[in-house]
Amino acid sequence: MALMDMGAEYNFYGSDITCSYPINGKFNSNQATVYNAVLKAHNAVISHMQPGVKWVDMHKLAEQTILESLKNEKIIHGDIADMMTRRLGAVFMPHGLGHLLGIDTHDPGGYPEVEIWILPMFMQV
């Protein structure tokens, strides 16, 4: 797999996009499973976006969609609602749905009403 994390600037505004693809041009079974889970989450978020929708709700939708896809492929087992409560999705999506973007590629800011739980092994010290 090749992961491309790219950015550009135009008139002092930054942009950022990340994509991945199989180097040999064809996904193997495991790669296809992960790619399709992310694509399904992407499509779910796009289809639910509209004025007034909260970013946090879109983040949760993406996490839930990925967890459901992984459960359907028998990669994880259990109750999706329990996984969401325990923030298991943060293990698979530690970066979140995205980040603020503007004059700097990673503009400062955050979402203080969201409590983030990440397994200690994924925490940076």
Side-chain angles (χ1 to χ4, degrees):
M1 292 295 292
L3 181 126
M4 309 287 286
D5 189 7
M6 303 169 282
E9 278 190 19
Y10 180 74
N11 287 334
F12 303 105
Y13 284 91
S15 68
D16 186 29
I17 186 168
T18 304
C19 61
S20 57
Y21 61 92
I23 293 172
N24 68 358
K26 185 172 169 73
F27 289 115
N28 68 31
S29 176
N30 291 334
Q31 293 166 341
T33 295
V34 172
Y35 180 87
N36 287 324
V38 173
L39 179 61
K40 189 172 183 178
H42 167 84
N43 291 339
V45 169
I46 295 296
S47 71
H48 284 84
M49 286 169 55
Q50 62 181 348
V53 172
K54 293 182 180 179
W55 180 261
V56 172
D57 293 337
M58 296 295 92
H59 170 84
K60 289 178 181 179
L61 174 61
E63 275 193 5
Q64 181 175 339
T65 304
I66 289 172
L67 291 172
E68 289 168 351
S69 294
L70 296 177
K71 182 178 178 181
N72 289 340
E73 293 295 325
K74 302 191 182 346
I75 295 171
I76 58 175
H77 305 278
D79 180 65
I80 298 294
D82 186 43
M83 293 177 201
M84 291 294 293
T85 299
R86 294 174 180 257
R87 297 296 326 275
L88 181 64
V91 172
F92 301 104
M93 211 168 96
H95 50 77
L97 185 58
H99 56 80
L100 299 177
L101 189 64
I103 298 202
D104 188 18
T105 301
H106 297 94
D107 270 0
Y111 308 98
E113 73 271 12
V114 177
E115 183 177 321
I116 302 294
W117 174 87
I118 301 174
L119 290 175
M121 71 175 84
F122 289 95
M123 294 176 66
Q124 293 182 350
V125 179

